[in-house]
Each structure stands twice: as C-alpha cells, then as structure tokens.
Amino acid sequence: MCFSEEVSWLTLIIGTVVNIACIIYLSRIPNRNVIIPILLILSWQYALLMQIPDALAWRNPSSKTPGKLAFILNVTQPLVWLMAVCIIFYMCNLPIIRLIPGIILFMIYIVDVIRQIPKINFQVKYDNCRNLQYTWWRKISPMLYIL
C-alpha cells in the first residue's frame, strides 16, 4: 500500500491467503455456479497484485520499474474484470451481446491508454506526505475514471 513497504507486503500476503482459503472453501461446493464467486476472487487477487510495485517503490524509490509495473497492473485491471464478466455471462447462459456497450467502452479505454503512454513519467514521488504517489496518476486522462 502507499503507507510503507511492510504494509504492502503484509496486505498482499494476508489478502492472498484469504483469497486462497475462500477458493478452497468454494471449490468444495458441488455446484457449477461456484465458478462465479471464484472468478470474482481471482479478479480481486489481480487487483491485489498492485501491492508488489508499491512495496518495490518503497524499497527503491529512485527506480522507475515499480511505476511501470504499477501502471501495467492498474490499466489492465479492467481487462481482467471484463474477461471475468464474459466468462460469468457464458457460464450463466446470458447473451454475450449484452456486453457490447461494455466492450466498446473498453476499446475506447485501451485506445486512450495507448495514446497517453508516451507522455507518462513512471517515477514515484513522495511529495509533502509520507505516502507514495505514482506520477502517472496526474497525467492520465480522467476518461479512465469515467469508463
């Protein structure tokens, strides 16, 4: 997390252990639809991976690598969620055509992200507070939040 390296690693470990425990519990339920909460847990685990670049940024604040990794993980989270939703729709026999508006918005999102990559600075800053901040958050289009 943005508080410290230790908090980031602890959050990742505890969150991962809880997610694994939940998946083990759910996998013992003899119901085909149990895949839905498992997919949601796996999607959350992907979001939880943001703790890795956070911890690395605390360890080596002058490196741009944590900022790049955080950017990649952050901007690909919607793709992971979209894939999970598509699988859920498929498993529930819902018409995938209902996802077309979401897929179109996702494509706009991807084009916007690709368009902004050359302008992005991947440095991590600490400014006047004790929390880390990715400089690319300040440069990225607000469209990403809207979508």
Side-chain angles (χ1 to χ4, degrees):
M1 293 186 108
C2 58
F3 301 114
S4 72
E5 179 183 357
E6 296 79 15
V7 171
S8 294
W9 289 125
L10 192 61
T11 301
L12 178 66
I13 292 166
I14 291 172
T16 301
V17 168
V18 169
N19 288 344
I20 290 170
C22 289
I23 289 172
I24 290 170
Y25 171 78
L26 289 169
S27 65
R28 294 179 179 177
I29 299 172
N31 184 337
R32 180 176 179 260
N33 290 333
V34 78
I35 191 70
I36 295 169
I38 289 174
L39 284 170
L40 296 175
I41 292 168
L42 290 174
S43 299
W44 172 246
Q45 181 64 35
Y46 188 80
L48 196 56
L49 293 178
M50 276 293 293
Q51 299 309 310
I52 296 170
D54 286 359
L56 295 175
W58 281 108
R59 182 169 291 182
N60 190 0
S62 62
S63 174
K64 288 187 176 186
T65 303
K68 289 178 182 179
L69 180 59
F71 178 79
I72 291 167
L73 286 170
N74 201 285
V75 300
T76 57
Q77 284 176 12
L79 173 63
V80 170
W81 284 97
L82 180 64
M83 289 187 317
V85 169
C86 287
I87 294 169
I88 290 168
F89 265 59
Y90 178 77
M91 296 293 295
C92 294
N93 294 320
L94 296 171
I96 302 291
I97 197 150
R98 291 183 182 176
L99 292 176
I100 288 179
I103 292 169
I104 291 170
L105 287 174
F106 179 74
M107 290 166 62
I108 293 169
Y109 167 81
I110 290 298
V111 168
D112 193 48
V113 167
I114 291 169
R115 182 182 59 80
Q116 293 180 61
I117 288 175
K119 305 185 271 187
I120 294 175
N121 175 4
F122 293 102
Q123 196 63 47
V124 178
K125 289 189 177 184
Y126 297 90
D127 288 341
N128 295 330
C129 65
R130 296 180 304 155
N131 301 335
L132 66 88
Q133 299 171 7
Y134 295 108
T135 55
W136 50 265
W137 273 120
R138 295 180 183 163
K139 300 289 183 189
I140 209 154
S141 167
M143 177 186 276
L144 300 181
Y145 296 107
I146 295 168
L147 297 178

